[in-house]
Amino acid sequence: MPHYPVMAGELIEYLMVQPGGTYLDATAGLGGHTRRIAERLTTGKVIANDRDPQSLEMAREKLAPWKN
């Protein structure tokens, strides 16, 4: 089943993501918001965290292109 992050557009707008910024997604879930942030980074980084190990593993797989 596909995952659609809630209010992803608003998140990006309000965060005003900068290509070199550092961001923390403390409720990473399946990585939807983390991905939206990571797509806009060049030299910056986004740290994803979650209490649910299963969600983190799924997010890790989905976010593999941005693992560095």
Side-chain angles (χ1 to χ4, degrees):
M1 175 154 82
H3 172 72
Y4 300 100
V6 178
M7 298 178 65
E10 291 86 349
L11 166 89
I12 296 303
E13 178 184 343
Y14 295 136
L15 277 179
M16 297 186 294
V17 175
Q18 300 298 309
T22 300
Y23 301 88
L24 170 65
D25 185 349
T27 56
L30 300 181
H33 289 132
T34 305
R35 178 183 178 149
R36 291 286 186 103
I37 295 167
E39 289 173 333
R40 288 158 175 79
L41 300 179
T42 53
T43 59
K45 65 180 165 181
V46 59
I47 301 163
N49 192 27
D50 203 290
R51 285 186 76 174
D52 182 351
Q54 288 179 318
S55 290
L56 273 178
E57 185 55 38
M58 287 188 277
R60 190 175 287 115
E61 291 172 16
K62 289 182 178 184
L63 298 167
W66 298 277
K67 69 181 178 180
N68 293 330

